[in-house]
Each structure stands twice: as structure tokens, then as C-alpha cells.
Amino acid sequence: MMRWVDHLIVAPIVLPLLAGALLVLVDEHRRRLKFAISLVAVLGLLAVAVALVAFANGQPDGWRSEVGVYLAANWPVPFGIALAADRLSALMVLLSAMLGLASLVFAQARWVRAGVHFQALLQFLLMGLCGAFLTADLFNLFVFFEVLLAASYGLVLHGSGPVRVGAGLHYVAVNLVASSLFLVGVSMIYATSGTLNMADLARLLPGLAPEDRLLFESGAAVLAVAFLVKSAMWPLAFWLLPAYSAASTPAAAIFAIMTKVGVYVILRLWLLLFVDGSGPSAGFGRDWLLYGGMATIGFAAIGMLATQDLRRLASYSVVMSSGTLLAAIAFDRPAVLAGALYYLVSATFAASALYLLIELVERSRAFGSGVLAVTLEAFEAQGALHAGPAIATDEQDDTGIVIPAAMAFLGTSFVACALLTAGLPPLSGFVAKFALLAGVLDPAGSRAPDDVGVVAWTMVGLVVASGLVAAIATMRIGIRVFWVQVRRAPPRLRVIEAAPVAALLLACVAITIQAGPVMRYVESAVTAAHRAGAWVDAVIEAPPVPVPGEARR
């Protein structure tokens, strides 16, 4: 008989589904009731996610192994729908729940009144995210992928406005093309292998006939393009900047994890199908991931230097994190992947917090202050050039001026986001990049003596340079935002708006303080996923629950 812990695997899908369906039926004017339902559902999802992480990490009285499997409709693999939870998928579900909670609370301050069905769309998005992370079947991955995309279409258009509608329609068109590619790739894989269960594919691929292997790899390539579009790899990242920059603030905050869906799927399928020891297809697509990821880092760094807009800066940081993760996957080393997974958590928290913070910062700025800051810089530089050092200044002595609490919070939070984005100490961004680069330069993880060579040092140079560029770009804008000489009243911040930002940044502080346990967890997650044998065996050998009536017959 199934135990209650086994049903927790399907709970992250069922909870937001039921909550979203209920919220659709509630009148929009009953905002408190809708918020209460959403909050209970997201808190329940968060509790379930914490339990999944604990059970996947070997919590006593948990699953019989470190991989929990749920057979929907009680059909055995590969005929039925299978959900599987391991350390990797449980961590992604937890990350989704935390970002969903932050977006929900922040939106309650004002954004829920800017449109309809925000809470319901958020619940359906969480359902699609959790389903994509937990499914063990490519077709059901397509289903959950479409669910989260359909919800994201509504969220990206939430709040209306010509700029948001234009960017949203562009976003919809690009993702419809990506969905079509997804379906074509899945069809080609099924035509050659006869199955879409990921564990079954991993078992059958090494023995695939040579005449079918080319078609299988072609289908995998088409499928990869669909997820590389979602991962925003250059040159496929053209859709992300206008869409994320124009989206409402809480929608952009939850969208910070959307690109990680593509990264997660590529990581999962790569470790199952194309690592060394997987047969003739081992290493398929490695160069595309490596050089595409590196090009993405360079593209995002150039964009950060070029932009003067905070929201586009945050969007470029999302692209940069995706490029770093894709390049790290191509190295195919557990140490690199462990650092990359830690980096994924830190970068996602940082990007989400930055999107939320930007609205609070921009709300406190006087109209035209950004233009005035640039103008002041230009005139001061010109005056110094013509007048020389003899010009006397009559600057007002500002010593002893008290910084308002709201400005202190905004400034401190912005500095924290800048440090996290750039990967500077002492926060988790530095720990993540240090662990990632240590794995890249570790000769013990090399497949050949020359692996720590041009490619490895190029990766190190790009990551370090991109961090320097991110620090310059964020601090340049930060100086103009917080130190521009414009008289303005101190901003008024509501607790319901400031709390999500503080919570996300405190989460980054927590994983910095607890870097040892967190690194051990991600190392275990990557090691188990890299071997993949336990995951494959757990899914394939999961027994259906005996039915008493059938047993008697």
C-alpha cells in the first residue's frame, strides 16, 4: 500500500491546480478572500517542497530510496504517467515555491488591482513549473510546459499598456514557435525509440540501431532548440529583454525561474542520455552548449554596460546566469555542476529580488532624475576642464544628515543585489562562482591532460570579466539613483512590499552562512543525477499499487 509520503510527490501539482480553479470562481472584488486562498496554497506548496527536499536527502521514514516515484493511474512504466522526485527536482520545486510566495505577497500591495485573475494565473504557473520539474516523461513535460506558458501569457500581459501588450504579443509568438519545435522533437524521438519515458530512453539509447540513431539525435537537437530558446541562449535570447522588462513587477520576479526550466531539462536529459558511457551518442551537443553558453555570457556583459535602465539590467543578469549554467553543463564534471547548481539558486534569488526592488527604487526617484544625473556629470566634467583647479566650490556641508530608514533599506538592498549579481564577497554569488571555477580548473576532473587549457581558462576569464562588468553597471546606475543631487521627499515603503525583497536577500545570506550543508546537498544531487542509474532504476522498477479486488481474481 502507498504511504502518505508517496502522495507528497503529486501534491505540488494538485495544490496549485485546485487553488487556481477555485480562484477563477471567486469574484475579483473579493481581493482579501482571493489572497487568503492563494497564500494558503503557496504556503502549503512551500511546506510540501521542504518535505520533498528532506525525504530526497535521506530523511528517516521517507521514501524507500532517495528517489520517490508516483505512478499516476497506477499504470507501470513506460505505459503510464510517472512523477519522480530526487534532490535536484525537489530543490527546483522549493525554489519555485519561495519565488511564488514572494511574488504573491508583493503583488497584493497594488498589482492585483491592475488586472484580473493574477492569483489564479500565478497558481497555474506554479503548477506548470512543479510538474515540469517532477515529471519523468517527455510528453507530460510538454503538457506542463504548455500549462506554465499559457499562465505566463496572461501574467506578461497583466496590467495592460501599449508597451506591455506589444512585448507580450512578441513573447507569445516566440514561445508558440518553441512549443512547435518541442512537439516536433518529441515526435522524432518517439518514432525512433517507441517510448517517451526518460528512464526508458536512458535504458534503450545505448542499444539503438545505427540507422535510427541519426533521427534520434536530430529529434534531440530540435528539442534542445526549444529549450535553448526558453533558456535565453544567444542568439535566441532576443525575446527575453523586452518581455521581462515590460512585465509587471511580480510577474517579472517569478519569471526569474522560467529560464531555469530550460536549463533544468537540458541538464536532466544531458545527464541521462549524453554523458560519457551512454553509448555512441555520448557527448552529443557538448560544443554547442559550451560555446553558446560562453557567447551568452559575453552578450549579457555587453548589454549590461550599454543599458541605463534598471529593468533591462536585471533582464541581462538573467541572461548572464543562463549562459553560465549552460556552459557549466557542457564541462560534464560533478564539481562544476555542483557549483553551477549552487549558482542557480543564488542567481535566481538575486534576480527576483532585484526585479521587486527596482519598482520601489523607481517609485522614490524624482521625475527626470536620471537625465539630470547624467547632465550634472557632463557639466561638472566640462567645468573642471575649462576652469582647472582654481575654481572654488561652495558645496553645502552635509555632514550629519540622517538617512531615512526607507532610503537606507533601498540602498542596502541594492548593494546586496549588486554584490550577488557580480559574484563579489561576502554573499552567496561569490561562493557559487568560486565553487564553479574551482571545478573548471580542477585537473582531477579532467577527461584528458589538456582539458585545463584554453577552454577552461576562457570560461574563467568570461565569468570573472562578467562579474566585473556587472559590478560596474550596477554601481554606476546605483550612484545615479541614490546619490544624484535632486531634492525629494523620503519614499514611503509598505511592509508587504519590502518584506519579499528582504526575505529573498536573507535567503541568499542563509545559503552563504550555511554554504557547507548547501554545497553537500547540491554535490549529492549532482552526483546522483550524473550517475543516473539509481534514478533510472527507481522509475522503471516502481511497482503499481496492488488492488485488492484484482488480487482475489
Side-chain angles (χ1 to χ4, degrees):
M1 297 296 293
M2 292 188 69
R3 299 176 300 162
W4 68 272
V5 294
D6 298 316
H7 292 287
L8 286 179
I9 301 171
V10 75
I13 300 171
V14 175
L15 269 178
L17 172 62
L18 294 178
L22 180 59
L23 287 167
V24 172
L25 301 177
V26 178
D27 187 82
E28 282 296 318
H29 294 91
R30 307 187 66 180
R31 296 191 182 96
R32 291 186 178 180
L33 176 60
K34 292 174 78 73
F35 176 68
I37 295 172
S38 298
L39 186 61
V40 169
V42 175
L43 289 175
L45 176 61
L46 182 61
V48 170
V50 171
L52 290 179
V53 169
F55 293 141
N57 202 34
Q59 179 74 20
D61 300 325
W63 302 316
R64 296 173 180 84
S65 67
E66 293 180 352
V67 181
V69 181
Y70 186 90
L71 301 178
N74 208 31
W75 282 83
V77 173
F79 306 106
I81 298 172
L83 304 175
D86 61 352
R87 288 185 179 91
L88 178 58
S89 57
L91 177 63
M92 298 304 293
V93 171
L94 177 60
L95 196 57
S96 302
M98 295 178 72
L99 264 61
L101 179 61
S103 298
L104 174 66
V105 173
F106 189 93
Q108 186 61 23
R110 60 189 292 265
W111 280 105
V112 291
R113 294 186 291 275
V116 296
H117 299 308
F118 176 87
Q119 291 100 334
L121 290 170
L122 179 63
Q123 295 295 333
F124 290 133
L125 179 68
L126 290 173
M127 172 197 169
L129 288 170
C130 295
F133 294 137
L134 292 171
T135 186
D137 184 272
L138 283 179
F139 183 78
N140 290 288
L141 177 63
F142 173 77
V143 172
F144 288 120
F145 188 69
E146 290 303 302
V147 170
L148 69 91
L149 282 180
S152 71
Y153 297 157
L155 289 174
V156 79
L157 294 169
H158 183 80
S160 67
V163 176
R164 186 167 294 132
V165 170
L169 292 177
H170 186 198
Y171 171 84
V172 171
V174 170
N175 280 282
L176 287 176
V177 174
S179 298
S180 301
L181 292 174
F182 191 155
L183 195 57
V184 170
V186 166
S187 301
M188 295 172 70
I189 290 174
Y190 183 76
T192 55
S193 62
T195 183
L196 290 177
N197 183 274
M198 298 179 191
D200 206 27
L201 284 172
R203 180 176 60 88
L204 295 175
L205 181 58
L208 200 64
E211 59 272 16
D212 293 331
R213 188 171 301 277
L214 181 59
L215 184 60
F216 180 91
E217 292 179 351
S218 299
V222 174
L223 187 64
V225 170
F227 284 105
L228 289 175
V229 170
K230 200 61 197 169
S231 302
M233 188 183 82
W234 184 86
L236 305 174
F238 59 91
W239 60 271
L240 186 145
L241 297 170
Y244 282 31
S245 300
S248 64
T249 298
I254 189 65
F255 284 177
I257 199 173
M258 293 277 283
T259 54
K260 307 308 183 289
V261 177
V263 172
Y264 167 83
V265 174
I266 291 171
L267 175 62
R268 175 70 77 185
L269 292 179
W270 172 270
L271 296 180
L272 282 174
L273 305 177
F274 301 124
V275 294
D276 292 341
S278 301
S281 296
F284 175 75
R286 176 181 287 121
D287 291 343
W288 288 98
L289 286 178
L290 179 62
Y291 297 117
M294 289 182 175
T296 306
I297 298 173
F299 164 75
I302 295 172
M304 279 188 166
L305 282 179
T307 188
Q308 300 292 328
D309 182 75
L310 274 172
R311 293 183 71 87
R312 291 186 72 86
L313 180 71
S315 300
Y316 276 117
S317 74
V318 173
V319 175
M320 182 180 290
S321 65
S322 290
T324 305
L325 293 169
L326 292 172
I329 293 173
F331 277 87
D332 190 20
R333 300 180 195 169
V336 178
L337 293 176
L341 193 56
Y342 188 103
Y343 174 76
L344 183 152
V345 176
S346 174
T348 305
F349 281 145
S352 184
L354 184 55
Y355 276 120
L356 297 179
L357 183 65
I358 286 170
E359 177 178 328
L360 304 182
V361 169
E362 290 182 339
R363 195 186 304 167
S364 68
R365 299 178 69 187
F367 178 76
S369 58
V371 176
L372 181 57
V374 179
T375 306
L376 286 172
E377 289 179 4
F379 276 99
E380 287 174 0
Q382 185 177 3
L385 181 63
H386 288 289
I391 291 182
T393 60
D394 56 349
E395 294 179 353
Q396 181 182 358
D397 185 9
D398 290 337
T399 303
I401 291 179
V402 178
I403 300 175
M407 289 302 297
F409 172 80
L410 294 178
T412 304
S413 299
F414 187 84
V415 170
C417 289
L419 294 176
L420 289 166
T421 303
L424 296 176
L427 297 179
S428 56
F430 173 75
V431 178
K433 287 191 174 182
F434 184 86
L436 192 155
L437 296 181
V440 170
L441 295 176
D442 183 12
S446 303
R447 293 182 297 276
D450 61 346
D451 274 357
V452 182
V454 176
V455 172
W457 284 110
T458 302
M459 178 68 176
V460 171
L462 279 171
V463 172
V464 173
S466 65
L468 177 61
V469 166
I472 293 172
T474 52
M475 290 305 176
R476 178 187 62 190
I477 297 179
I479 289 172
R480 291 176 180 170
V481 170
F482 294 102
W483 280 274
V484 61
Q485 296 298 315
V486 176
R487 295 184 178 274
R488 59 188 176 191
R492 298 181 62 185
L493 300 181
R494 299 177 62 181
V495 174
I496 200 172
E497 294 175 316
V501 178
L504 291 173
L505 294 178
L506 287 175
C508 292
V509 174
I511 65 174
T512 306
I513 297 173
Q514 297 295 321
V518 175
M519 280 301 300
R520 286 193 292 272
Y521 180 91
V522 295
E523 285 171 355
S524 300
V526 167
T527 301
H530 198 269
R531 290 197 302 264
W535 191 89
V536 172
D537 293 341
V539 173
I540 291 180
E541 297 173 2
V545 178
V547 180
E550 293 182 358
R552 287 194 298 270
R553 289 196 296 270

